[in-house]
C-alpha cells in the first residue's frame, strides 16, 4: 500500500475510529443472536433445519472473505471498509424477512459473506495500524467487538422482552449501526495501492503460515463456541442450577472475554504474543479442568471464567500474526478467518454429538485437550519478520492519510 500525507495524531485518531468499527461489527452479531428463536418461529423451522440454515453463515463467509483484499486494493482501505461495513449492517434485516428454510439459507449466506468481508477489511487495517503506532492494539480492538456484541445483545434482549417484531427491531438496529459505522469510517486510514502493486487473487488457498496460525485460532474459537453455547446447559443439566444462574454463567464468560481483550494489549506489549498465548492456554486448561471436576455451580462458573480469560486474546493475536506473516496480509487474514469461522461453526454441534454419545463432562474434556494446544503451538505466533513495531521511527509525513 502506498502512503500519503498525515501525522501521528491523525493515526491515533484513526485508531479510535477503527475501534468504533469493531464495536459496530460486534453490535450486528449481538443483535442477531438474541432473536434467533423469533427467526426460527417465523420461518417455521425445526431445530435441525435452523442449524442447517445457520451453517450458511460460515459458508458465505468462507466464499467471500478472499474477495476483501481485492476490494481494498481496488478502492482503497477507507472506501472499501465503508462499503463492506454498510453491507454488513444492512444485511442484519435479511434473516427476519425469510418466511421459510430456503429463503433463510439465502439470507444467511449473504449475512455471512458480508460479515466475513468486513471482518477481513477491518482486521487488515488494524494490523497496519499496529505497525504505525509501534504497539499492540489488536486485542483491544477485538475487546471493542465484544463490547459491541454485548450492547447489541442487551438491546435485543430488551426487544424480545417487549415482544417486538424482529423485522422492526432489526430495521432500527441496522439503521443506527449503519449511521455509526459510516461516521466512524470517515476517520480510518486511507491506504491505497501503488501503481506497480499486483492485485491479490480473487480466490486463493490460504498460505501455509496462515494454516498453522489458524490451527491455534481453531483451538481458541472451539473453546469459545463450546462455552458460549453450552455453559448454561452444563450448569442447568449437570449441576441442576436455575435457569437464571445458568444464563449468568454465559454472561460472565462473555464479560470476562471482553475485559481481558480490552486490557490484553498491555500484556502483549510486555511479554510478547507467544508468552501471552501460552499463559492464556494454561489458564484455559485450568478452567477446563475446573469445569470437568466441578460438583458445585461456583466452581464451574469459575472454570468458565478462567477459560474466557485464557482464550480472549488468542484470536486477535492470530489475526495480527497472519497480517505480519507474508507479503499479502489480507489473504493470510482471510485464511485464518476462514479456519476460525469453521471452528466456531462445528464446535457447538460437535459438543452436542459427544454429549449425546457420552456426556457433557466428556465434551468439555475434549475442549480442555484442545485448549492445551494453545500451550503447545503458541510458538507459531512468533513473527517471521518485523511485527507491530515496524512503525517505530517512521516520519510523520510518510504516514497514511486519516482525514475524511
Amino acid at each position: 500500500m502506498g502512503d500519503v500525507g498525515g501525522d501521528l495524531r491523525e493515526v491515533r485518531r484513526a485508531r479510535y475510529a477503527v475501534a468504533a468499527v469493531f464495536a459496530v461489527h460486534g453490535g450486528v452479531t449481538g443483535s442477531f443472536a438474541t432473536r434467533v428463536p423469533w427467526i426460527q418461529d417465523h420461518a417455521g423451522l425445526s431445530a435441525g433445519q435452523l442449524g442447517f440454515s445457520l451453517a450458511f453463515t460460515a459458508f458465505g463467509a468462507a466464499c467471500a472473505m478472499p474477495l476483501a483484499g481485492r476490494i481494498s486494493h481496488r478502492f482503497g482501505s477507507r472506501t472499501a471498509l465503508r462499503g463492506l461495513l454498510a453491507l454488513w449492517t444492512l444485511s442484519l434485516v435479511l434473516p427476519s424477512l425469510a418466511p421459510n428454510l430456503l429463503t433463510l439459507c439465502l439470507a444467511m449466506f449473504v449475512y455471512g459473506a458480508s460479515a466475513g468481508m468486513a471482518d477481513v477489511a477491518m482486521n487488515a487495517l488494524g494490523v497496519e495500524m499496529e505497525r504505525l503506532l509501534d504497539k499492540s492494539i489488536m486485542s483491544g480492538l477485538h475487546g471493542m467487538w465484544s463490547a459491541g456484541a454485548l450492547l447489541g445483545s442487551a438491546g435485543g434482549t430488551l426487544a424480545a422482552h417487549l415482544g417486538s417484531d424482529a423485522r422492526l427491531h432489526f430495521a432500527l438496529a441496522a439503521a443506527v449501526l449503519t449511521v455509526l459505522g459510516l461516521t466512524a469510517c470517515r476517520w480510518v486510514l486511507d491506504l491505497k495501492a501503488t501503481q506497480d502493486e499486483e492485485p491479490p487473487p480473487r480466490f486463493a488457498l490460504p498460505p501455509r503460515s496462515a494454516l498453522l496460525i489458524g490451527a491455534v485460532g481453531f483451538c481458541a474459537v472451539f473453546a469459545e463456541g463450546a462455552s458460549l453455547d453450552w455453559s448454561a446447559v452444563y450448569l442447568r443439566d449437570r449441576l441442576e442450577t436455575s435457569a437464571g444462574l445458568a444464563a449468568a454463567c454465559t454472561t460472565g464468560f462473555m464479560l470476562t472475554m471482553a475485559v481481558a481483550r480490552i486490557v490484553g494489549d498491555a500484556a502483549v506489549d510486555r511479554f510478547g504474543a507467544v508468552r501471552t498465548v501460552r499463559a492464556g492456554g494454561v489458564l484455559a486448561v485450568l478452567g477446563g479442568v475446573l469445569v470437568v471436576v466441578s460438583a458445585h455451580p461456583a466452581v464451574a462458573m469459575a472454570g468458565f471464567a478462567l477459560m474466557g480469560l485464557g482464550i480472549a486474546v488468542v484470536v486477535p493475536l492470530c489475526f495480527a500474526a497472519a497480517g505480519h506473516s507474508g507479503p499479502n496480509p489480507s489473504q493470510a487474514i482471510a485464511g485464518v478467518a476462514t479456519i476460525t469461522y469453521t471452528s466456531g461453526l462445528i464446535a457447538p454441534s460437535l459438543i452436542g454429538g459427544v454429549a449425546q454419545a457420552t456426556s457433557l463432562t466428556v465434551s468439555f474434556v475434549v475442549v480442555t485437550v484442545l485448549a492445551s494446544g494453545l500451550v503447545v503451538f503458541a510458538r507459531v505466533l512468533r513473527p517471521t519478520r518485523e511485527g507491530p513495531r515496524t512503525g517505530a521511527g517512521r516520519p510523520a509525513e510518510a504516514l497514511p492519510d486519516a482525514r475524511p
Side-chain angles (χ1 to χ4, degrees), residues 25-124:
H25 195 287
V28 178
T29 302
S31 299
F32 171 78
T34 57
R35 306 311 303 270
V36 170
W38 188 97
I39 293 170
Q40 180 182 8
D41 292 341
H42 179 68
L45 305 180
S46 66
Q49 289 173 324
L50 176 64
F52 177 77
S53 65
L54 293 178
F56 279 77
T57 306
F59 183 48
C63 291
M65 280 189 291
L67 295 174
R70 194 173 184 90
I71 293 172
S72 295
H73 181 276
R74 172 76 178 274
F75 299 103
S77 60
R78 181 186 295 160
T79 300
L81 183 59
R82 183 182 289 137
L84 293 174
L85 187 65
L87 180 64
W88 164 231
T89 54
L90 293 173
S91 71
L92 173 62
V93 178
L94 296 179
S96 66
L97 301 178
N100 53 49
L101 176 61
L102 176 60
T103 53
L104 184 58
C105 288
L106 294 174
M108 297 313 301
F109 182 89
V110 176
Y111 177 86
S114 57
M117 289 190 291
D119 199 321
V120 170
M122 68 188 192
N123 275 285

Side-chain angles (χ1 to χ4, degrees), residues 187-287:
W187 307 105
V188 302
L189 298 179
D190 192 19
L191 303 174
K192 295 183 182 297
T194 58
Q195 291 184 350
D196 58 347
E197 187 175 342
E198 289 291 328
R202 289 184 177 87
F203 294 98
L205 292 175
R208 184 172 180 271
S209 59
L211 294 176
L212 296 173
I213 295 168
V216 177
F218 182 96
C219 295
V221 175
F222 191 96
E224 179 181 353
S227 298
L228 281 175
D229 287 4
W230 287 96
S231 57
V233 177
Y234 192 91
L235 262 71
R236 185 195 64 190
D237 293 354
R238 184 178 181 275
L239 300 177
E240 300 180 346
T241 65
S242 66
L245 187 60
C249 179
T250 303
T251 302
F253 174 81
M254 294 177 66
L255 284 171
T256 302
M257 285 197 65
V259 172
R261 282 177 169 175
I262 290 172
V263 303
D265 288 317
V268 176
D269 282 332
R270 181 175 179 85
F271 302 109
V274 175
R275 289 182 179 177
T276 301
V277 170
R278 280 179 177 159
V282 171
L283 290 177
V285 170
L286 176 59

Side-chain angles (χ1 to χ4, degrees), residues 63-404:
C63 291
M65 280 189 291
L67 295 174
R70 194 173 184 90
I71 293 172
S72 295
H73 181 276
R74 172 76 178 274
F75 299 103
S77 60
R78 181 186 295 160
T79 300
L81 183 59
R82 183 182 289 137
L84 293 174
L85 187 65
L87 180 64
W88 164 231
T89 54
L90 293 173
S91 71
L92 173 62
V93 178
L94 296 179
S96 66
L97 301 178
N100 53 49
L101 176 61
L102 176 60
T103 53
L104 184 58
C105 288
L106 294 174
M108 297 313 301
F109 182 89
V110 176
Y111 177 86
S114 57
M117 289 190 291
D119 199 321
V120 170
M122 68 188 192
N123 275 285
L125 200 52
V127 168
E128 181 61 25
M129 292 189 67
E130 280 199 335
R131 295 193 181 102
L132 298 173
L133 292 171
D134 191 23
K135 61 182 179 180
S136 172
I137 66 169
M138 290 299 289
S139 180
L141 292 179
H142 282 256
M144 289 301 296
W145 188 96
S146 296
L150 282 170
L151 289 174
S153 64
T157 300
L158 177 61
H161 179 71
L162 295 174
S164 171
D165 189 305
R167 289 169 292 192
L168 175 61
H169 166 213
F170 283 178
L172 293 174
V176 171
L177 291 169
T178 300
V179 171
L180 292 176
L182 292 177
T183 301
C185 286
R186 285 170 52 86
W187 307 105
V188 302
L189 298 179
D190 192 19
L191 303 174
K192 295 183 182 297
T194 58
Q195 291 184 350
D196 58 347
E197 187 175 342
E198 289 291 328
R202 289 184 177 87
F203 294 98
L205 292 175
R208 184 172 180 271
S209 59
L211 294 176
L212 296 173
I213 295 168
V216 177
F218 182 96
C219 295
V221 175
F222 191 96
E224 179 181 353
S227 298
L228 281 175
D229 287 4
W230 287 96
S231 57
V233 177
Y234 192 91
L235 262 71
R236 185 195 64 190
D237 293 354
R238 184 178 181 275
L239 300 177
E240 300 180 346
T241 65
S242 66
L245 187 60
C249 179
T250 303
T251 302
F253 174 81
M254 294 177 66
L255 284 171
T256 302
M257 285 197 65
V259 172
R261 282 177 169 175
I262 290 172
V263 303
D265 288 317
V268 176
D269 282 332
R270 181 175 179 85
F271 302 109
V274 175
R275 289 182 179 177
T276 301
V277 170
R278 280 179 177 159
V282 171
L283 290 177
V285 170
L286 176 59
V289 170
L290 288 179
V291 169
V292 169
V293 303
S294 61
H296 190 276
V299 177
M301 294 177 74
F304 282 114
L306 279 176
M307 198 176 299
L309 182 65
I311 65 177
V313 301
V314 177
V315 171
L317 291 180
C318 286
F319 281 124
H324 299 303
S325 66
N328 194 329
S330 292
Q331 182 181 343
I333 290 172
V336 170
T338 301
I339 295 170
T340 56
Y341 267 68
T342 302
S343 178
L345 173 67
I346 70 172
S349 57
L350 183 58
I351 291 298
V354 174
Q356 182 69 28
T358 55
S359 67
L360 266 178
T361 301
V362 175
S363 294
F364 278 92
V365 170
V366 174
V367 173
T368 305
V369 171
L370 282 175
S372 69
L374 300 178
V375 181
V376 177
F377 300 112
R379 65 181 181 276
V380 305
L381 300 183
R382 183 175 290 113
T384 55
R385 57 184 177 88
E386 257 190 306
R389 292 170 174 74
T390 55
R394 194 173 180 178
E397 62 270 21
L399 295 175
D401 190 7
R403 293 169 294 186

